[in-house]
Amino acid sequence: MRTTTTARRVLTSVLATTLLAGGVLLGQTVTAEPASAAKMTCNIGQLRHDAQKERNRAAQLRGLGAHAEARNALARANALETRARQCEDAENNSKPPIWK
């Protein structure tokens, strides 16, 4: 009877310690800076050029009758244009005002 009480206390203390340590680690990972917050640069001209190449490819595929591939190429072109617009907006909004 005595050994089960001691084992129960040991297991309870080990479980409590593990939970506390896990909570501390979880708290540190939540407050850490995410990797996506890193400074990113993008070449807007290159993105627009790639989008135009995809649009030309989509037109060529559509002319050949491959409509599904043409839709995929057009979707990639739209995604590249959107990314270029987002980069341009981020660049315009990150500059300090002229009057300061």
Side-chain angles (χ1 to χ4, degrees):
M1 185 74 174
R2 191 105 167 112
T3 57
T4 56
T5 307
T6 306
R8 193 176 300 152
R9 285 183 186 161
V10 169
L11 287 176
T12 305
S13 63
V14 168
L15 180 63
T17 305
T18 305
L19 288 175
L20 286 173
V24 169
L25 289 175
L26 183 65
Q28 287 178 352
T29 57
V30 170
T31 58
E33 184 176 337
S36 63
K39 180 93 172 147
M40 267 185 62
T41 59
C42 50
N43 189 346
I44 297 170
Q46 182 66 38
L47 286 170
R48 290 216 166 111
H49 178 71
D50 291 345
Q52 187 59 42
K53 281 187 355 187
E54 283 294 322
R55 287 190 197 287
N56 291 341
R57 186 170 164 265
Q60 183 181 15
L61 287 169
R62 196 177 309 111
L64 294 172
H67 296 291
E69 290 86 359
R71 277 194 305 272
N72 289 339
L74 197 56
R76 280 192 297 275
N78 289 338
L80 287 168
E81 275 292 327
T82 301
R83 181 69 184 137
R85 220 174 309 119
Q86 288 172 346
C87 287
E88 191 174 35
D89 290 344
E91 194 174 282
N92 290 339
N93 292 334
S94 67
K95 293 180 182 174
I98 298 171
W99 58 87
K100 280 194 174 184

